[in-house]
Amino acid sequence: MRLMALDLSKRSAGLTGWDGTSTRPVVLSKELGSTITNHGLVFARLHGVMNDLWQVIGGADAIYCEEPLQPQALGGHTTFDTLYLAYGLCAHAASFAEAKGVRFHAVNQTAWRRHFIGAMKRGTRRQTLKDYSMERARQLGFSPRNDDEADAIGVLDYACDREGIMPPWRANEVLRPPLGVCA
């Protein structure tokens, strides 16, 4: 089964694609725009990057995408423009999946993180969660260049679990080392 997993943002989108047979997925991050880039161009760039990844892995059977946070969870600390962009990116990924005829799953951030880095206390700082994603990805043998790639790896790992797949990067794992502990 071929899978794509996405952690989307305008500043730096993390994407992974796995053909179901390789020992490692394709992992990349891409800036989709700057502060002056209009939303239409950001969505078009996302389409291009997804299409390129699609070609590299030979298509996909499902696309998993981290869903945007609910507006009420942000405590009023965002703008309409930010919400429009976040939901637009997720909607564009869903539209891409529909156009390609594959399943699309919007994944709750808490669900994939709980799977990938374990349960965290409510209110754990965003940077701590990002650091744990980087650490966990490294434990599994990946070399993410940034937290967006690490998060995309986490979404892919969650997708494999949901699909009932034991990926090669998990095959030899016996005990999960704790995160945030100095060795």
Side-chain angles (χ1 to χ4, degrees), residues 105-126:
H105 302 276
V107 179
N108 180 280
Q109 194 175 90
T110 304
W112 78 258
R113 279 198 172 135
R114 187 177 298 121
H115 164 81
F116 193 59
I117 63 174
M120 295 288 140
K121 291 181 183 176
R122 187 171 180 83
T124 301
R125 297 179 56 96
R126 178 181 181 275

Side-chain angles (χ1 to χ4, degrees), residues 33-93:
S34 68
T35 55
I36 60 171
T37 309
N38 70 58
H39 294 326
L41 184 53
V42 171
F43 301 146
R45 286 180 179 163
L46 174 59
H47 180 90
V49 172
M50 288 180 72
N51 200 53
D52 291 347
L53 183 58
W54 179 276
Q55 297 298 322
V56 168
I57 66 169
D61 298 298
I63 298 173
Y64 283 73
C65 179
E66 180 184 87
E67 69 184 11
L69 292 173
Q70 298 294 317
Q72 59 270 25
L74 300 172
H77 296 107
T78 193
T79 65
F80 174 79
D81 192 58
T82 301
L83 291 172
Y84 177 81
L85 182 63
Y87 280 90
L89 286 167
C90 189
H92 189 82

Side-chain angles (χ1 to χ4, degrees), residues 13-35:
L15 300 93
T16 58
W18 185 49
D19 64 11
T21 60
S22 301
T23 57
R24 292 277 180 233
V26 175
V27 180
L28 63 112
S29 55
K30 181 76 173 172
E31 181 179 326
L32 300 176
S34 68
T35 55

Side-chain angles (χ1 to χ4, degrees), residues 135 178-183:
E135 185 178 344
L179 296 169
V181 179
C182 295

